[in-house]
């Protein structure tokens, strides 16, 4: 089976989005290592539904007991989960919107966190069930807020969330502080290569 790269973008911008350029650069680099890799393009800025009451009820109904309507309701989140669980690499573009991730990326995270499917609870605590990702890359961009500063509620959250799902090998590309100039993007890529 060929290697799969799941690319997730969430910037509302297309013309001049630093996170889109960075995810593209990371994917291009992965393709040099894996020329036959399949790239799955998941642009959550195009719209991801919010979880609804019906969605939550369906999730907590045992699989075999779900009605056709509940199965239909869950079909898009099942699709997103199967994309994630079939991927070898994860590349996420995470622009900072009001100190955290864009609502579209949060909506995506809400769709793919499902007990018994992407994580489970046991006496030992929560356990991530996404064990297929070899490496995850998160391109973080902001205008002014520095990475991991006290008001960066994005980076720690994304790291924790991915770890909760079982994705621990996460590399963050620091393109924060865009106000200083376009060199921040180049520096983020140089740091990745140097690491
Ligand atoms: C709705 C919105 C909210 C933003 N909030 C913040 C913020 O809280 N802190 C910050 O430093 N920059 C903030 N920015 C600036 C973006 O993080 C910055 O422009 C970043 O480069 C966007 O990523 P992109 O180039 O991939 O679109 C915000 C931008 C937008 C559009």
């Amino acid at each position: 089976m060929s290697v799969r790269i799941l690319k997730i973008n969430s910037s509302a911008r297309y013309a001049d989005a630093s996170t889109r350029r960075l995810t593209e650069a990371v994917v291009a680099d992965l393709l040099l290592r894996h020329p036959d890799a399949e790239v799955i393009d998941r642009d959550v800025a195009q719209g991801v539904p919010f979880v609804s009451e019906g969605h939550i009820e369906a999730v907590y109904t045992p699989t075999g007991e779900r009605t056709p309507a509940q199965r239909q309701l869950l079909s898009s989140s099942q699709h997103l989960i199967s994309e994630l669980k079939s991927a070898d690499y994860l590349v996420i573009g995470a622009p900072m919107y009001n100190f955290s991730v864009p609502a579209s990326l949060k909506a995506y995270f809400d769709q793919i966190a499902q007990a018994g499917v992407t994580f489970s609870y046991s006496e030992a605590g929560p356990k991530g069930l996404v064990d297929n990702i070899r490496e995850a890359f998160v391109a973080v961009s902001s205008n002014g807020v520095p990475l991991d500063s006290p008001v960066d509620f994005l980076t720690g959250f994304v790291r924790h969330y991915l770890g909760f799902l079982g994705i621990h090998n996460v590399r963050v590309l620091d393109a924060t502080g865009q106000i200083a100039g376009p060199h921040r993007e180049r520096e983020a890529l140089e740091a990745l290569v140097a690491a």
Side-chain angles (χ1 to χ4, degrees), residues 9-14 16-21 93-100 140-146 151 175-178 185:
N9 273 303
S10 60
S11 174
R13 301 197 295 174
Y14 288 82
D16 190 24
S18 54
T19 52
R20 288 184 184 275
R21 281 192 293 267
M96 181 176 290
Y97 282 5
N98 298 308
F99 310 101
S100 187
V140 180
S141 180
S142 76
N143 256 349
V145 171
V151 292
T176 58
Q178 292 283 323
E185 232 173 275

Side-chain angles (χ1 to χ4, degrees), residues 6 8 42 44 48 80 104-112:
L6 175 57
I8 299 168
R42 176 53 53 195
V44 298
V48 174
L80 296 175
S104 60
L105 188 56
K106 179 62 165 60
Y108 172 80
F109 286 166
D110 289 346
Q111 287 289 330
I112 60 167

